[in-house]
Amino acid sequence: MTDVLVIGGGIIGLATAIALSQKGANVTIVERDRCGRGATWAAAGMLAPEAEGLEGNLLDLGIRSRDMYPQWIASLRRLSGQECGYWCCGIIAPVLFSSLECDRIAISTHPKYISLEESRKRQSGLGDSVLGSLWLPEDGQVNNRKLTQALLTAARSLSIKILEGTTVYQIVRDRDRVTHLDTSAGKLQSDRYVLATGAWTRALLPLPIKPIKGQMLSVLDCDRKLQRVIFAPSCYIVPRQDGTIVIGATVEDNGFTQGNTAAGIAQLLNNAISVYPAIADMPITETWWGFRPHAPNEVPLLGRSDYENLILATGHYRNGILFAPITAKLITDFMVDGIADSTHLQ
Ligand code: FAD
Ligand code: GLY
């Protein structure tokens, strides 16, 4: 028996488990693989509510979460002793000569628009395809893979029980309550449950979540001249502090099709080289792919489900790394303190 069973050990499950534990709950995480090996591992780690073009309540949620990051990272550092590559480096979102004329005109009147000359002052080496850009100094990045390691260590330091290699086969219900989980390790039971299974949610409950594949690659920048994230219309380029540059990502609606394709990687490289030509000479260090959990209107499913003791925390689509701290807070406020944020929770 445990107070809360969190199903799924990605960034959302880990962050929520830690926040619940810090409020006194006895928490267990059930993860079929290793924690943080789903979309959380595949991501670029951008903290980019503005560059991603979020709007309305979602933009508000993204900015609140981005603002929480410095303190959240500091608290994880205290618990884990680990760095997460959090870097408020700013994002340059180039407008390209090839953009539609109407888009170019609209963007050039944006309050955050800067000329090509100003763009080059913020980041040298931009390609000839760049006409100008939006300069978004508050957007930034975190190294999502390091963050996962820090979350795991922090969770262990709080005595959160982590059952890796344990698959939940079925959420067993009786009327409007979950009674237990059928898992590869037998029956698991708890007072309450949090569903944080990302793109695989539909295998457990008929919720409108589908996978959207993203292919990625990385190159090595020995000179480390790239110091800003570049978020172009058809690719983004994310420099890590160790010289790795992460380039992403395709957006493919073809289910759980595994693997990188030549066309996917070629498309990313061509687009990236046109906005930052130095990439052409950098060695490729890794290629990978992952599945974003897409929800209708790209709005995560947070809060109540059809079952009174099952809470939803899924469907974060393109921004789950960004949304992790605010998700953990909203779910914990709701489950422990009974505070239901009616704007963001269902
Ligand atoms: P996941 O990390 O996928 O975790 C779900 C976990 O549940 C998995 O570990 C899985 O094994 C487990 N699970 C599923 N079913 C079961 C079961 N039946 N039993 C037990 N365990 C189960 N977001 C950003 O904010 N910034 C970015 O720059 C960014 N870039 C991205 C780039 C790509 C290519 C991709 C694919 C995503 C990107 N994202 C980004 C989105 C972000 O990665 C996701 O929104 C986020 O990781 C979702 O976290 P999660 O914990 O819900 O899902
Ligand atoms: N947020 C970047 C991506 O999902 O590709």
Side-chain angles (χ1 to χ4, degrees), residues 4 6 17 26 36 44 79 99 114 137 158 167 198 202 224 240 258 264 281 284 292 311 340:
V4 183
V6 176
N26 178 16
L79 287 168
S99 307
I114 57 173
L158 293 165
T167 303
R202 238 187 131 84
R224 300 192 193 179
R240 301 288 195 223
Q258 304 283 321
D281 295 322
I284 294 175
R292 306 173 183 88
I311 306 301

PDB file of all heavy atoms in Angstrom, residues 4 6 17 26 36 44 79 99 114 137 158 167 198 202 224 240 258 264 281 284 292 311 340:
ATOM      1  N   VAL A   4       0.141   7.316  -2.996  1.00  0.00           N
ATOM      2  CA  VAL A   4      -0.053   7.672  -4.402  1.00  0.00           C
ATOM      3  C   VAL A   4       0.839   6.793  -5.277  1.00  0.00           C
ATOM      4  O   VAL A   4       2.034   6.654  -5.006  1.00  0.00           O
ATOM      5  CB  VAL A   4       0.314   9.155  -4.677  1.00  0.00           C
ATOM      6  CG1 VAL A   4       0.018   9.503  -6.134  1.00  0.00           C
ATOM      7  CG2 VAL A   4      -0.427  10.103  -3.750  1.00  0.00           C
ATOM      8  N   VAL A   6       2.240   6.660  -9.027  1.00  0.00           N
ATOM      9  CA  VAL A   6       2.386   7.437 -10.257  1.00  0.00           C
ATOM     10  C   VAL A   6       2.726   6.459 -11.370  1.00  0.00           C
ATOM     11  O   VAL A   6       3.724   5.730 -11.277  1.00  0.00           O
ATOM     12  CB  VAL A   6       3.506   8.494 -10.105  1.00  0.00           C
ATOM     13  CG1 VAL A   6       3.722   9.238 -11.420  1.00  0.00           C
ATOM     14  CG2 VAL A   6       3.157   9.483  -8.988  1.00  0.00           C
ATOM     15  N   ALA A  17       5.840  13.233  -8.663  1.00  0.00           N
ATOM     16  CA  ALA A  17       6.121  12.369  -7.506  1.00  0.00           C
ATOM     17  C   ALA A  17       6.932  13.128  -6.454  1.00  0.00           C
ATOM     18  O   ALA A  17       6.654  13.045  -5.250  1.00  0.00           O
ATOM     19  CB  ALA A  17       6.880  11.127  -7.975  1.00  0.00           C
ATOM     20  N   ASN A  26       3.291   9.443   0.566  1.00  0.00           N
ATOM     21  CA  ASN A  26       4.122   8.256   0.385  1.00  0.00           C
ATOM     22  C   ASN A  26       3.916   7.804  -1.069  1.00  0.00           C
ATOM     23  O   ASN A  26       2.836   7.353  -1.433  1.00  0.00           O
ATOM     24  CB  ASN A  26       3.620   7.220   1.404  1.00  0.00           C
ATOM     25  CG  ASN A  26       4.350   5.916   1.301  1.00  0.00           C
ATOM     26  OD1 ASN A  26       5.404   5.826   0.696  1.00  0.00           O
ATOM     27  ND2 ASN A  26       3.751   4.889   1.883  1.00  0.00           N
ATOM     28  N   GLY A  36      12.601   8.122 -17.527  1.00  0.00           N
ATOM     29  CA  GLY A  36      13.134   9.194 -18.373  1.00  0.00           C
ATOM     30  C   GLY A  36      13.623   8.741 -19.727  1.00  0.00           C
ATOM     31  O   GLY A  36      14.381   9.469 -20.382  1.00  0.00           O
ATOM     32  N   ALA A  44      14.594  18.283 -26.826  1.00  0.00           N
ATOM     33  CA  ALA A  44      15.696  19.242 -26.982  1.00  0.00           C
ATOM     34  C   ALA A  44      15.907  20.062 -25.714  1.00  0.00           C
ATOM     35  O   ALA A  44      16.931  20.724 -25.567  1.00  0.00           O
ATOM     36  CB  ALA A  44      15.400  20.174 -28.144  1.00  0.00           C
ATOM     37  N   LEU A  79      18.764  18.686  -3.514  1.00  0.00           N
ATOM     38  CA  LEU A  79      18.395  17.296  -3.213  1.00  0.00           C
ATOM     39  C   LEU A  79      19.340  16.284  -3.853  1.00  0.00           C
ATOM     40  O   LEU A  79      19.598  15.225  -3.292  1.00  0.00           O
ATOM     41  CB  LEU A  79      16.971  17.010  -3.728  1.00  0.00           C
ATOM     42  CG  LEU A  79      15.813  17.631  -2.949  1.00  0.00           C
ATOM     43  CD1 LEU A  79      14.516  17.493  -3.740  1.00  0.00           C
ATOM     44  CD2 LEU A  79      15.665  16.939  -1.586  1.00  0.00           C
ATOM     45  N   SER A  99      10.343  33.014 -46.112  1.00  0.00           N
ATOM     46  CA  SER A  99       9.030  33.033 -45.429  1.00  0.00           C
ATOM     47  C   SER A  99       8.010  33.731 -46.326  1.00  0.00           C
ATOM     48  O   SER A  99       8.361  34.595 -47.127  1.00  0.00           O
ATOM     49  CB  SER A  99       9.102  33.809 -44.110  1.00  0.00           C
ATOM     50  OG  SER A  99      10.128  33.317 -43.312  1.00  0.00           O
ATOM     51  N   ILE A 114      14.038  42.165 -34.210  1.00  0.00           N
ATOM     52  CA  ILE A 114      15.316  42.891 -34.365  1.00  0.00           C
ATOM     53  C   ILE A 114      15.846  42.663 -35.786  1.00  0.00           C
ATOM     54  O   ILE A 114      15.562  41.635 -36.408  1.00  0.00           O
ATOM     55  CB  ILE A 114      16.373  42.475 -33.309  1.00  0.00           C
ATOM     56  CG1 ILE A 114      16.654  40.965 -33.355  1.00  0.00           C
ATOM     57  CG2 ILE A 114      15.952  42.906 -31.915  1.00  0.00           C
ATOM     58  CD1 ILE A 114      17.804  40.517 -32.470  1.00  0.00           C
ATOM     59  N   PRO A 137      14.771  36.983 -25.019  1.00  0.00           N
ATOM     60  CA  PRO A 137      15.840  36.793 -24.030  1.00  0.00           C
ATOM     61  C   PRO A 137      15.444  35.927 -22.844  1.00  0.00           C
ATOM     62  O   PRO A 137      16.310  35.374 -22.170  1.00  0.00           O
ATOM     63  CB  PRO A 137      16.150  38.228 -23.571  1.00  0.00           C
ATOM     64  CG  PRO A 137      14.942  39.024 -23.891  1.00  0.00           C
ATOM     65  CD  PRO A 137      14.309  38.371 -25.093  1.00  0.00           C
ATOM     66  N   LEU A 158      14.352  11.262  -1.446  1.00  0.00           N
ATOM     67  CA  LEU A 158      13.106  11.480  -0.694  1.00  0.00           C
ATOM     68  C   LEU A 158      12.416  10.148  -0.358  1.00  0.00           C
ATOM     69  O   LEU A 158      11.266  10.139   0.084  1.00  0.00           O
ATOM     70  CB  LEU A 158      12.155  12.360  -1.514  1.00  0.00           C
ATOM     71  CG  LEU A 158      12.609  13.810  -1.731  1.00  0.00           C
ATOM     72  CD1 LEU A 158      11.799  14.477  -2.838  1.00  0.00           C
ATOM     73  CD2 LEU A 158      12.486  14.607  -0.427  1.00  0.00           C
ATOM     74  N   THR A 167       5.606  -3.024 -16.041  1.00  0.00           N
ATOM     75  CA  THR A 167       4.583  -2.508 -16.969  1.00  0.00           C
ATOM     76  C   THR A 167       3.205  -2.582 -16.337  1.00  0.00           C
ATOM     77  O   THR A 167       2.835  -3.616 -15.759  1.00  0.00           O
ATOM     78  CB  THR A 167       4.574  -3.361 -18.264  1.00  0.00           C
ATOM     79  OG1 THR A 167       5.876  -3.320 -18.826  1.00  0.00           O
ATOM     80  CG2 THR A 167       3.558  -2.835 -19.266  1.00  0.00           C
ATOM     81  N   GLY A 198       2.424   9.699 -20.884  1.00  0.00           N
ATOM     82  CA  GLY A 198       2.811  10.349 -22.134  1.00  0.00           C
ATOM     83  C   GLY A 198       2.074   9.793 -23.346  1.00  0.00           C
ATOM     84  O   GLY A 198       0.861   9.555 -23.312  1.00  0.00           O
ATOM     85  N   ARG A 202      -3.130   6.054 -24.239  1.00  0.00           N
ATOM     86  CA  ARG A 202      -4.330   5.406 -24.803  1.00  0.00           C
ATOM     87  C   ARG A 202      -4.352   3.893 -24.601  1.00  0.00           C
ATOM     88  O   ARG A 202      -5.411   3.268 -24.658  1.00  0.00           O
ATOM     89  CB  ARG A 202      -4.394   5.698 -26.300  1.00  0.00           C
ATOM     90  CG  ARG A 202      -5.660   6.391 -26.712  1.00  0.00           C
ATOM     91  CD  ARG A 202      -5.728   6.491 -28.218  1.00  0.00           C
ATOM     92  NE  ARG A 202      -7.030   6.026 -28.656  1.00  0.00           N
ATOM     93  CZ  ARG A 202      -8.104   6.790 -28.686  1.00  0.00           C
ATOM     94  NH1 ARG A 202      -8.042   8.041 -28.318  1.00  0.00           N
ATOM     95  NH2 ARG A 202      -9.259   6.292 -29.084  1.00  0.00           N
ATOM     96  N   ARG A 224      32.581  26.130 -29.970  1.00  0.00           N
ATOM     97  CA  ARG A 224      31.544  26.627 -29.030  1.00  0.00           C
ATOM     98  C   ARG A 224      31.174  28.083 -29.285  1.00  0.00           C
ATOM     99  O   ARG A 224      31.053  28.887 -28.345  1.00  0.00           O
ATOM    100  CB  ARG A 224      31.983  26.452 -27.586  1.00  0.00           C
ATOM    101  CG  ARG A 224      32.235  25.007 -27.293  1.00  0.00           C
ATOM    102  CD  ARG A 224      32.392  24.731 -25.833  1.00  0.00           C
ATOM    103  NE  ARG A 224      32.922  23.390 -25.690  1.00  0.00           N
ATOM    104  CZ  ARG A 224      33.197  22.810 -24.560  1.00  0.00           C
ATOM    105  NH1 ARG A 224      32.973  23.440 -23.439  1.00  0.00           N
ATOM    106  NH2 ARG A 224      33.668  21.598 -24.514  1.00  0.00           N
ATOM    107  N   ARG A 240      24.462  23.022 -26.333  1.00  0.00           N
ATOM    108  CA  ARG A 240      24.668  22.692 -24.911  1.00  0.00           C
ATOM    109  C   ARG A 240      25.991  23.313 -24.460  1.00  0.00           C
ATOM    110  O   ARG A 240      26.869  23.600 -25.285  1.00  0.00           O
ATOM    111  CB  ARG A 240      24.731  21.178 -24.705  1.00  0.00           C
ATOM    112  CG  ARG A 240      23.510  20.416 -25.147  1.00  0.00           C
ATOM    113  CD  ARG A 240      22.344  20.642 -24.219  1.00  0.00           C
ATOM    114  NE  ARG A 240      21.322  19.636 -24.463  1.00  0.00           N
ATOM    115  CZ  ARG A 240      20.031  19.903 -24.527  1.00  0.00           C
ATOM    116  NH1 ARG A 240      19.584  21.135 -24.366  1.00  0.00           N
ATOM    117  NH2 ARG A 240      19.157  18.933 -24.725  1.00  0.00           N
ATOM    118  N   GLN A 258       9.130   3.287 -35.536  1.00  0.00           N
ATOM    119  CA  GLN A 258      10.455   3.488 -34.935  1.00  0.00           C
ATOM    120  C   GLN A 258      11.476   3.952 -35.969  1.00  0.00           C
ATOM    121  O   GLN A 258      11.316   3.698 -37.155  1.00  0.00           O
ATOM    122  CB  GLN A 258      10.959   2.153 -34.353  1.00  0.00           C
ATOM    123  CG  GLN A 258      10.038   1.508 -33.339  1.00  0.00           C
ATOM    124  CD  GLN A 258      10.106   2.165 -31.976  1.00  0.00           C
ATOM    125  OE1 GLN A 258      11.179   2.552 -31.535  1.00  0.00           O
ATOM    126  NE2 GLN A 258       8.967   2.296 -31.302  1.00  0.00           N
ATOM    127  N   GLY A 264      14.373  12.361 -43.079  1.00  0.00           N
ATOM    128  CA  GLY A 264      14.170  13.151 -41.853  1.00  0.00           C
ATOM    129  C   GLY A 264      15.453  13.873 -41.455  1.00  0.00           C
ATOM    130  O   GLY A 264      15.457  15.085 -41.191  1.00  0.00           O
ATOM    131  N   ASP A 281      30.355  21.663 -41.240  1.00  0.00           N
ATOM    132  CA  ASP A 281      31.655  21.015 -41.009  1.00  0.00           C
ATOM    133  C   ASP A 281      31.738  20.269 -39.681  1.00  0.00           C
ATOM    134  O   ASP A 281      32.800  19.764 -39.318  1.00  0.00           O
ATOM    135  CB  ASP A 281      32.769  22.084 -41.041  1.00  0.00           C
ATOM    136  CG  ASP A 281      32.874  22.710 -42.419  1.00  0.00           C
ATOM    137  OD1 ASP A 281      32.723  21.968 -43.409  1.00  0.00           O
ATOM    138  OD2 ASP A 281      33.060  23.939 -42.505  1.00  0.00           O
ATOM    139  N   ILE A 284      28.717  14.582 -36.954  1.00  0.00           N
ATOM    140  CA  ILE A 284      27.443  14.118 -36.360  1.00  0.00           C
ATOM    141  C   ILE A 284      27.799  13.174 -35.209  1.00  0.00           C
ATOM    142  O   ILE A 284      28.630  12.277 -35.369  1.00  0.00           O
ATOM    143  CB  ILE A 284      26.589  13.381 -37.410  1.00  0.00           C
ATOM    144  CG1 ILE A 284      26.145  14.362 -38.498  1.00  0.00           C
ATOM    145  CG2 ILE A 284      25.377  12.710 -36.768  1.00  0.00           C
ATOM    146  CD1 ILE A 284      25.389  13.728 -39.655  1.00  0.00           C
ATOM    147  N   ARG A 292       6.106  12.574 -29.090  1.00  0.00           N
ATOM    148  CA  ARG A 292       5.460  13.603 -28.270  1.00  0.00           C
ATOM    149  C   ARG A 292       4.018  13.168 -27.950  1.00  0.00           C
ATOM    150  O   ARG A 292       3.331  12.680 -28.847  1.00  0.00           O
ATOM    151  CB  ARG A 292       5.374  14.929 -29.021  1.00  0.00           C
ATOM    152  CG  ARG A 292       6.684  15.460 -29.585  1.00  0.00           C
ATOM    153  CD  ARG A 292       6.393  16.691 -30.438  1.00  0.00           C
ATOM    154  NE  ARG A 292       7.585  17.241 -31.075  1.00  0.00           N
ATOM    155  CZ  ARG A 292       8.045  16.854 -32.268  1.00  0.00           C
ATOM    156  NH1 ARG A 292       7.423  15.897 -32.966  1.00  0.00           N
ATOM    157  NH2 ARG A 292       9.110  17.418 -32.782  1.00  0.00           N
ATOM    158  N   ILE A 311      -5.855  10.760 -11.176  1.00  0.00           N
ATOM    159  CA  ILE A 311      -5.575  12.126 -11.636  1.00  0.00           C
ATOM    160  C   ILE A 311      -4.760  12.042 -12.934  1.00  0.00           C
ATOM    161  O   ILE A 311      -3.836  11.234 -13.037  1.00  0.00           O
ATOM    162  CB  ILE A 311      -4.740  12.879 -10.560  1.00  0.00           C
ATOM    163  CG1 ILE A 311      -5.442  12.824  -9.197  1.00  0.00           C
ATOM    164  CG2 ILE A 311      -4.459  14.314 -10.969  1.00  0.00           C
ATOM    165  CD1 ILE A 311      -6.814  13.412  -9.171  1.00  0.00           C
ATOM    166  N   ALA A 340      -8.067  23.641  -6.717  1.00  0.00           N
ATOM    167  CA  ALA A 340      -8.250  23.284  -8.129  1.00  0.00           C
ATOM    168  C   ALA A 340      -8.180  24.547  -8.975  1.00  0.00           C
ATOM    169  O   ALA A 340      -9.077  25.379  -8.941  1.00  0.00           O
ATOM    170  CB  ALA A 340      -9.590  22.589  -8.311  1.00  0.00           C
TER     171      ALA A 340
END
